[in-house]
């Protein structure tokens, strides 16, 4: 792959979407060319799989089925969108990727990292990200920052202990894959975090 592949990871409520928007504005202002996609989704088939995963009517879906659907959506996105762009030398960003499966399904849902690695072998082996921007903020702090209870918020729906497990998972992954992880302290203001991301990406020669 000739292009650069950069992924974004983090627990819910850490401001990932805001940071991606700020980064896009930064690159747009400077005429930096890139392609931004997201998981689960990013292609017609993958978006249909996303709808199945997120459909509230599918409450009886097993954890294994959910993990396999995430990896199916991923393989499709890789073949249809990411691979051709990387082959053409493009700079490709993805909002969440295989580390989300490792942290959420592997660590937090308890399926085990080995199982999740196995079903994501293609993504891990052939399309390891060049860099993974991890927005590092403990979910309980993120929750406090948002001002506490919101009945519709997923943070509350899934329970804080689940999100703490996701966070611990990410911390493990950041050690295991230290060569590609850019750990960004996201406890400050959104502009502070934005500047940290920009300097880290500049330091790595992304732009
Ligand atoms: P989002 O809020 O960043 O769009 O994330 C969508 C949800 O999907 C979030 O709760 C994390 C979850 N997810 C997984 O559990 N495993 C995965 O592999 C991916 C890509 C997302």
């Amino acid at each position: 792959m000739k292009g650069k592949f950069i992924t974004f990871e983090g627990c819910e409520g850490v401001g990932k979407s805001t940071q991606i928007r700020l980064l896009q504005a930064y690159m747009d202002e400077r005429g930096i060319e890139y392609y931004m996609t997201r998981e689960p989704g990013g292609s017609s088939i993958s978006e249909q799989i996303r709808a199945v995963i997120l459909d509230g009517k599918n409450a009886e879906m097993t954890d294994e089925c959910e993990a396999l659907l995430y990896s199916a959506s991923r393989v499709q996105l890789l073949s249809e969108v990411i691979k051709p762009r990387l082959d053409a030398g493009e700079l490709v960003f993805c909002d969440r990727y295989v580390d989300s499966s490792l942290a959420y399904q592997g660590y937090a849902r308890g399926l085990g990292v080995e199982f999740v690695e196995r079903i994501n072998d293609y993504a891990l082996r052939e399309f390891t990200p060049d860099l993974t921007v991890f927005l590092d903020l403990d979910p309980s702090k993120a929750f406090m920052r948002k001002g506490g209870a919101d009945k519709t918020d997923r943070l509350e729906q899934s329970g804080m202990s689940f999100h703490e497990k996701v966070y611990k998972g990410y911390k493990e992954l950041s050690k295991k894959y230290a060569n590609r992880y850019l750990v960004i302290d996201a406890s400050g203001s959104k502009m502070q975090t934005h500047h940290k991301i920009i300097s880290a990406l500049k330091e790595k020669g992304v732009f």
Side-chain angles (χ1 to χ4, degrees), residues 9-10 12 16-17 38-40 50 53-54 66-67 70-71 74 95-105 109 120 154 162-163 170:
E9 297 287 351
E12 260 131 290
K16 186 165 52 66
S17 306
R38 70 158 181 183
E39 277 212 33
R50 178 188 178 98
I53 298 172
L54 300 182
E66 186 193 28
Y70 278 120
S71 66
R74 180 163 301 132
D95 179 359
R96 295 198 182 279
Y97 186 56
V98 69
D99 301 75
S100 284
S101 283
L102 293 166
Y104 282 80
Q105 281 68 54
R109 291 251 184 262
N120 282 283
R154 270 188 308 214
F162 176 78
H163 293 284
Y170 274 127

Side-chain angles (χ1 to χ4, degrees), residues 21-62:
R21 268 200 305 277
L22 288 170
L23 173 64
Q24 285 188 274
Y26 175 93
M27 294 190 293
D28 290 344
E29 276 163 26
R30 284 156 186 81
I32 298 166
E33 287 187 21
Y34 63 91
Y35 186 81
M36 182 69 70
T37 188
R38 70 158 181 183
E39 277 212 33
S43 79
S44 166
I45 292 168
S46 301
E47 289 289 338
Q48 291 173 61
I49 298 173
R50 178 188 178 98
V52 173
I53 298 172
L54 300 182
D55 189 341
K57 290 200 294 290
N58 291 335
E60 69 272 41
M61 185 184 289
T62 66

Side-chain angles (χ1 to χ4, degrees), residues 1 4-9 97-99 123-124 126-133 179-181:
M1 76 189 186
K4 269 206 178 91
F5 183 31
I6 302 177
T7 58
F8 282 89
E9 297 287 351
Y97 186 56
V98 69
D99 301 75
L124 280 166
E126 306 268 340
F127 297 95
T128 313
D130 294 295
L131 293 170
T132 296
V133 178
N179 55 335
R180 68 171 161 92
Y181 257 73

Side-chain angles (χ1 to χ4, degrees), residues 81-201:
V81 176
I82 296 179
K83 183 180 187 309
R85 290 181 182 276
L86 290 175
D87 285 345
E90 292 185 30
L91 171 59
V92 178
F93 290 93
C94 194
D95 179 359
R96 295 198 182 279
Y97 186 56
V98 69
D99 301 75
S100 284
S101 283
L102 293 166
Y104 282 80
Q105 281 68 54
Y107 285 98
R109 291 251 184 262
L111 290 179
V113 169
E114 260 172 51
F115 172 75
V116 178
E117 278 178 345
R118 222 170 334 121
I119 62 172
N120 282 283
D121 185 55
Y122 177 64
L124 280 166
R125 213 166 11 94
E126 306 268 340
F127 297 95
T128 313
D130 294 295
L131 293 170
T132 296
V133 178
F134 169 53
L135 297 181
D136 186 356
L137 182 62
D138 189 307
S140 61
K141 292 204 185 104
F143 189 56
M144 297 290 283
R145 189 164 70 174
K146 283 182 100 181
D150 172 0
K151 288 275 175 274
T152 60
D153 196 296
R154 270 188 308 214
L155 268 177
E156 224 190 13
Q157 281 179 357
S158 300
M160 193 51 75
S161 73
F162 176 78
H163 293 284
E164 289 292 355
K165 281 186 209 157
V166 173
Y167 182 62
K168 266 199 189 145
Y170 274 127
K171 297 295 263 188
E172 294 283 322
L173 292 168
S174 69
K175 283 181 220 142
K176 181 170 177 182
Y177 299 116
N179 55 335
R180 68 171 161 92
Y181 257 73
L182 286 181
V183 179
I184 306 288
D185 171 10
S187 62
S189 72
K190 69 178 178 191
M191 287 320 286
Q192 282 169 338
T193 304
H194 172 60
H195 293 309
K196 281 178 198 159
I197 294 172
I198 298 297
S199 346
L201 292 178

